[in-house]
Amino acid sequence: NVVKVYGKKSGIGKTALAATVSRYIHWRRKEMFIDNVIWLDGREYPDHSSSVLWRLLMLRLESEAQQQRSEIELREDARLVAVSQRVLMDRSNLLVIDMNSIDIHSKTVENYLHDIFRSTVKMKVVLVGQWPKTQGMCTTRWLEQEVHVNRLIQLHSVKLLGYHIQNRLVEASCTLEHFVKSLSTGDKQSLKSTYKQIGNGVPGKIISYAQTMSSGTLSVLIPKKAGPQMPSDE
């Protein structure tokens, strides 16, 4: 029922992974018996179901640190729970919650999901967040699966970098294949140095490095020796 996607680093690819899976399910929702994909990340929500679910979650999080909730907050909470359950009833939805400020392993989030699951057994949930502070925090209320997003290996780091500088490689008459091969082979020390230089296996850092890379840095990374060249126009 619930999949938790988390990693130790920001920019490691948690959101990208969840977004790719969500798009895949959305495009094939009829075959996968999903009515709708609801993504909550703190932005504006034009549709009613997303707006209600978000307001309920925010109310719960704001009340988390309070020892005692006011009568107004309790009534609003009950109203939002009722509305959420009504809009979700008998519908098969995929709910994705992606916010760094939310502890997806907290009791508050668990109780929030519990109230949602009371309206439908068809709901599937993906929670995107940071590495848990303590292990063994799975609930017994529903089935959970955890996905740990780790750093990219050397080869995949170089491929991601090459993909984001393809036009500059073409200008330098270097093929993507040759670029990847050159930066993925060699002695252990130079590979380690390159790996750290281009982002240390963190996709977000690698993409940022590609976008801000100077011409001088690129000329150092591109292999000097003869290798596969770009075909001539002649």
Side-chain angles (χ1 to χ4, degrees), residues 8 30 33 66 73 79 98 111 141 158 201 221 224:
K8 292 183 177 180
K30 288 185 179 180
F33 305 102
Q66 300 177 10
E73 288 176 327
R79 186 187 72 81
D98 177 22
N111 290 333
R141 293 183 177 183
V158 175
L221 289 177
K224 300 288 193 301

Side-chain angles (χ1 to χ4, degrees), residues 97-136:
I97 300 176
D98 177 22
M99 280 195 69
N100 283 329
S101 59
I102 293 178
D103 181 4
I104 62 174
H105 313 279
S106 70
K107 201 70 178 176
T108 299
V109 172
E110 181 182 330
N111 290 333
Y112 169 80
L113 294 180
H114 174 67
D115 286 332
I116 291 176
F117 279 131
R118 284 165 56 189
S119 63
T120 174
V121 295
K122 300 177 182 178
M123 174 73 77
K124 305 296 180 185
V125 179
V126 176
L127 301 175
V128 183
Q130 299 298 323
W131 197 269
K133 296 179 181 178
T134 57
Q135 298 298 316

Side-chain angles (χ1 to χ4, degrees), residues 155-170 175-177 179-180 183 198 206 210 213:
L155 175 62
H156 296 159
S157 295
V158 175
K159 281 186 175 180
L160 180 61
L161 175 63
Y163 174 81
H164 283 276
I165 60 170
Q166 283 188 82
N167 291 338
R168 300 180 70 179
L169 291 177
V170 170
T175 65
L176 177 59
E177 180 183 5
F179 177 79
V180 171
L183 269 67
I198 67 175
I206 295 171
M213 183 188 300

Side-chain angles (χ1 to χ4, degrees), residues 47-113:
D47 61 292
H48 182 57
S49 57
S50 298
S51 176
V52 170
L53 289 168
W54 175 252
R55 282 153 53 200
L56 176 60
L57 177 59
M58 287 299 97
L59 180 61
R60 292 286 177 88
L61 292 170
E62 289 168 3
S63 305
E64 191 174 25
Q66 300 177 10
Q67 292 183 348
Q68 188 172 0
R69 301 169 68 183
S70 69
E71 187 66 30
I72 295 176
E73 288 176 327
L74 290 173
R75 284 202 301 267
E76 178 64 6
D77 187 290
R79 186 187 72 81
L80 289 174
V81 168
V83 175
S84 298
Q85 292 176 346
R86 189 162 60 248
V87 298
L88 295 174
M89 188 177 297
D90 299 325
R91 291 178 61 84
S92 179
N93 294 293
L94 171 64
L95 173 63
V96 184
I97 300 176
D98 177 22
M99 280 195 69
N100 283 329
S101 59
I102 293 178
D103 181 4
I104 62 174
H105 313 279
S106 70
K107 201 70 178 176
T108 299
V109 172
E110 181 182 330
N111 290 333
Y112 169 80
L113 294 180

